[in-house]
Amino acid sequence: MSAPLLMVTGASGHLGRLVIDHLKTLVPAAQIVALVRKPETKAAYEAEGIAARIGDYDDVDSLKAAFAGIDRLLLISSSAVGQRARQHGNAITAAKTAGVGFIAYTSILAATTSPMALAAEHKATEAMLAESGIPYALLRNGWYTENLLASLPTDLELGQHFGCAGAGRFATAPRKDYAEAAAIVLAGGDHAGKIYELAGDSDFTLADFAAELSSQAGKPVVYTDMPETAYAAALVQAGLPEGFATILADSDAQAAKGALTTSRKDLSTLIGHPTTPLADTIAAALAG
């Protein structure tokens, strides 16, 4: 019996790239297939000995062709907020047509009960997976630490980190920790039917985040809490699209109510070591 073919969708994105990097430490490269959208990305993967196929979440026929012969699929959620449920539905339909035997899906923390606006499309995707008849596992990813570092240059310049999370706590981990967990689940084992609530081992407030950043950068940085609408407006003023700014502000506001923390240690249990501390990710970001 030949070894199963493992496909990572969204392989040109930050998370997908990291998943493939870790997957290469777990299985032979010949078992790995990257799904990408552009010929140049396909060529780059093939140059490093990783098979790649072209497919687009908006083109179900391209996905059916790309998924042919794939045994286990990592469905990394689309970045097209507002289009994701439809796009993921295309991927699930294509996977069923192609006879894919297992899907691991990157969802969001506590998707079925989360009040976050971002959770709605994940909840819809989870329901489609349940209806598909394909064995699956849910990788409910919490917040990436990198999300908080996206404003690092501005934070350092202004001496303030802005948000609307109040004293809400964030149990974050860097993408590489989530990617390691995804690679482990994709590589094999008894994961069908499992729901993993994935988050950092410890949590912190945005004031804690600002204090750690201030300490490491050697200059004052404080957390400035704003009303949700004002924070959304500030994000638009900073150049973000209005819809995305509204969703980010909603995420902060829901974090104030506990939406982005959990006491579960599924992530460190899956990867077999503690999650990366906030201080380490900040240090890496400052080192550039």
Side-chain angles (χ1 to χ4, degrees), residues 33 46 64 123 148 190 206 252 259 276 285 287:
V33 184
E46 289 172 343
K64 288 176 182 177
K123 185 177 178 179
L148 301 178
D190 183 21
L206 292 184
D252 250 32
T276 305

Side-chain angles (χ1 to χ4, degrees), residues 31-73:
Q31 285 183 247
I32 304 170
V33 184
L35 183 76
V36 299
R37 287 184 295 175
K38 297 179 180 179
E40 55 266 35
T41 315
K42 180 177 184 288
Y45 268 117
E46 289 172 343
E48 63 178 85
I50 299 293
R53 301 178 186 177
I54 292 179
D56 192 306
Y57 287 163
D58 285 319
D59 182 352
V60 70
D61 289 333
S62 76
L63 296 176
K64 288 176 182 177
F67 293 169
I70 297 300
D71 298 289
R72 297 173 68 85
L73 178 73

Side-chain angles (χ1 to χ4, degrees), residues 164 226-238 240-242 244-250:
C164 62
M226 308 170 72
E228 182 179 351
T229 53
Y231 180 47
L235 291 172
V236 170
Q237 192 172 5
L240 291 183
E242 185 175 349
F244 189 50
T246 300
I247 281 176
L248 284 182
D250 170 78

Side-chain angles (χ1 to χ4, degrees), residues 84-105:
R84 295 197 285 192
R86 175 184 57 77
Q87 292 178 332
H88 299 162
N90 286 343
I92 293 165
T93 296
K96 189 164 186 176
T97 300
V100 171
F102 172 80
I103 297 176
Y105 170 62

Side-chain angles (χ1 to χ4, degrees), residues 56-255:
D56 192 306
Y57 287 163
D58 285 319
D59 182 352
V60 70
D61 289 333
S62 76
L63 296 176
K64 288 176 182 177
F67 293 169
I70 297 300
D71 298 289
R72 297 173 68 85
L73 178 73
L74 175 65
L75 176 56
I76 292 181
S77 59
S78 164
S79 59
V81 176
Q83 304 296 317
R84 295 197 285 192
R86 175 184 57 77
Q87 292 178 332
H88 299 162
N90 286 343
I92 293 165
T93 296
K96 189 164 186 176
T97 300
V100 171
F102 172 80
I103 297 176
Y105 170 62
T106 61
S107 188
I108 197 170
L109 201 62
T112 49
T113 57
S114 175
M116 292 172 60
L118 269 177
E121 291 183 297
H122 290 295
K123 185 177 178 179
T125 303
E126 290 189 7
M128 287 186 282
L129 280 168
E131 292 164 6
S132 72
I134 302 171
Y136 68 94
L138 300 177
L139 306 173
R140 288 180 170 170
N141 289 352
W143 227 226
Y144 302 146
T145 310
E146 290 92 341
N147 292 353
L148 301 178
L149 290 162
S151 58
L152 180 62
T154 305
D155 291 356
L156 294 175
E157 180 185 349
L158 300 178
Q160 297 180 81
H161 179 83
F162 296 96
C164 62
R169 303 189 73 80
F170 291 72
T172 73
R175 279 191 188 90
K176 66 181 180 66
D177 288 358
Y178 294 104
E180 186 176 342
I184 288 167
V185 171
L186 182 62
D190 183 21
H191 300 288
K194 301 287 180 63
I195 299 175
Y196 296 107
E197 302 287 354
L198 304 176
D201 286 337
S202 57
D203 60 8
F204 54 86
T205 66
L206 292 184
D208 296 332
F209 168 79
E212 180 62 33
L213 178 57
S214 178
S215 173
Q216 291 203 31
K219 62 182 298 184
V221 181
V222 298
Y223 172 55
T224 299
D225 197 57
M226 308 170 72
E228 182 179 351
T229 53
Y231 180 47
L235 291 172
V236 170
Q237 192 172 5
L240 291 183
E242 185 175 349
F244 189 50
T246 300
I247 281 176
L248 284 182
D250 170 78
S251 299
D252 250 32
Q254 300 305 331

